[in-house]
């Protein structure tokens, strides 16, 4: 009897199957990369309605605010909005919103800062809100935009202003990355920021029942298609030389960015740092879960930093 080798085992068939699998992985990775870099998001008007439905607007009156644009390091225009304190003040805070939203998401926090006498600058992050379409770099590029806003604030409002920062989620991450540039700011409040974006993506892959190895083709497609690296967003690493006082806030039931990220951030910074967790609060819901406590934390923290000596910004 003569043994005939099955045709399905031929090298060409195996190569074809492997090539098809690689193609499928690359296509899936490209789709996921596009989803990450250009996420679906509500329109500018829709976010305003969403915040109004949550009763976050309260005394917010857009007709009384000042609107302007700030040119970033590469000429990109950032739409910004100044919400003044009730009484004249030299105290200012720049608030950075989260991923796939816009500056309307920062309005709820302006009530707290204005109660403490702060003028509030809210703005649309690159590619968000009223800004021109652009890929999201998860803080790597956006931190340079925040630095442009910081420099603009000193030029616009005076070099003797007392300036702080607040960030939520990705806004918190880009704030940390900006602190790595050692900007002249007095404090930063970081709400549910990630220590590194890689672990966030790995968590999302697990939720989709995909292997962690998918991270590498996704990173490849982000680089090739959009010139963005998801592995460069490591906010905690940017704090190694940071001396700006930090107030870290995180919901204990946050599954998107677990509270362990805040623990890593605290361990990374060398300056003063305090941590406050909110039991039962999900991602970016600490304020919603207990607004009075959020205000108490903010008040106590800012009172501490306001007592420190104001540095000379030149």
């Amino acid at each position: 009897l003569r043994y005939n080798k099955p045709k399905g085992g031929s090298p060409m068939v195996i190569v074809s199957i492997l090539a098809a699998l690689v193609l499928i992985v690359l296509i899936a990775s490209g789709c996921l990369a596009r989803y990450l870099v250009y996420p679906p998001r509500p329109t500018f008007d829709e976010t305003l309605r969403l915040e109004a439905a949550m009763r976050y607007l309260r005394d917010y009156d857009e007709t009384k605010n000042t609107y302007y644009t700030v040119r970033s390091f590469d000429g990109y225009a950032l739409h910004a909005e100044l919400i003044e304190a009730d009484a004249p003040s030299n105290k200012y805070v720049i608030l950075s919103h989260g991923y796939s939203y816009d500056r309307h998401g920062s309005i709820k926090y302006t009530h707290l800062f204005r109660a403490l006498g702060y003028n509030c600058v809210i703005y649309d992050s690159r590619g968000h809100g009223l800004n021109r379409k652009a890929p999201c770099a998860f803080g790597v590029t956006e931190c340079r935009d925040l630095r442009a806003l910081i420099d603009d604030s000193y030029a616009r409002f005076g070099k003797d202003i007392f300036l702080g920062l607040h960030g939520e989620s990705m806004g918190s991450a880009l704030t940390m990355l900006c602190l790595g540039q050692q900007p002249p700011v007095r404090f930063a409040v970081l709400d549910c920021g990630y220590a590194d974006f890689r672990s966030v993506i790995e968590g999302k892959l697990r939720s989709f029942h995909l292997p962690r190895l998918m991270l590498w083709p996704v990173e490849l497609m982000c680089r090739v298609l959009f010139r963005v690296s998801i592995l460069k967003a490591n906010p905690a690493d940017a704090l190694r030389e940071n001396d700006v006082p930090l107030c870290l806030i995180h919901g204990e039931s946050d599954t998107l960015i677990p509270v362990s990220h805040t623990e890593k951030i605290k361990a990374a910074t060398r300056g003063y740092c305090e941590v406050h967790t909110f039991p039962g609060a999900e991602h970016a819901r600490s304020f919603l879960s207990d607004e009075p406590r959020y205000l108490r934390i903010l008040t106590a923290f800012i009172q501490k930093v306001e007592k420190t000596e104001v540095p000379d910004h030149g």
Side-chain angles (χ1 to χ4, degrees), residues 101-179:
Y101 215 63
D102 59 45
R103 66 178 184 258
H104 291 139
S106 298
I107 292 175
K108 57 183 174 291
Y109 300 113
T110 66
H111 304 299
L112 309 182
F113 282 103
R114 291 178 70 244
L116 298 172
Y118 278 77
N119 302 286
C120 300
V121 174
I122 60 176
Y123 71 101
D124 295 326
S125 185
R126 180 176 293 243
H128 294 67
L130 298 180
N131 294 336
R132 176 172 51 84
K133 185 177 181 180
C136 177
F138 314 105
V140 175
T141 303
E142 294 82 357
C143 69
R144 300 179 69 184
D145 295 334
L146 177 56
R147 181 57 192 262
L149 281 154
I150 292 170
D151 294 341
D152 175 84
S153 294
Y154 281 110
R156 188 180 298 269
F157 307 123
K159 68 177 184 178
D160 61 339
I161 62 173
F162 189 100
L163 182 62
L165 307 174
H166 178 283
E168 176 189 83
S169 193
M170 191 184 83
S172 177
L174 70 89
T175 298
M176 286 183 272
L177 288 165
C178 183
L179 290 175

Side-chain angles (χ1 to χ4, degrees), residues 18-35:
L18 290 175
L21 288 174
V22 170
L23 182 60
I24 291 171
V25 169
L26 289 178
I27 291 174
S29 300
C31 291
L32 183 54
R34 176 171 288 278
Y35 179 85

Side-chain angles (χ1 to χ4, degrees), residues 50 99 134 181 270 272 283 298:
L50 286 169
Y99 175 71
Q181 304 171 25
R270 71 179 188 182
Y272 174 78
H283 183 64
L298 206 60

Side-chain angles (χ1 to χ4, degrees), residues 268-284:
T269 186
R270 71 179 188 182
Y272 174 78
C273 181
E274 56 186 54
V275 176
H276 304 276
T277 60
F278 284 67
E282 298 179 352
H283 183 64

Side-chain angles (χ1 to χ4, degrees), residues 151-228:
D151 294 341
D152 175 84
S153 294
Y154 281 110
R156 188 180 298 269
F157 307 123
K159 68 177 184 178
D160 61 339
I161 62 173
F162 189 100
L163 182 62
L165 307 174
H166 178 283
E168 176 189 83
S169 193
M170 191 184 83
S172 177
L174 70 89
T175 298
M176 286 183 272
L177 288 165
C178 183
L179 290 175
Q181 304 171 25
Q182 298 185 327
V185 297
R186 299 301 310 277
F187 66 86
V189 179
L190 307 175
D191 191 323
C192 64
Y194 46 83
D196 66 283
F197 193 63
R198 172 176 177 166
S199 60
V200 176
I201 292 299
E202 288 177 342
K204 293 298 291 182
L205 290 174
R206 285 194 299 271
S207 69
F208 294 150
H209 304 289
L210 294 172
R212 286 194 301 175
L213 288 175
M214 278 291 291
L215 173 70
W216 300 105
V218 171
E219 163 72 359
L220 174 65
M221 298 308 286
C222 282
R223 283 177 176 265
V224 171
L225 298 177
F226 309 112
R227 298 181 180 179
V228 168

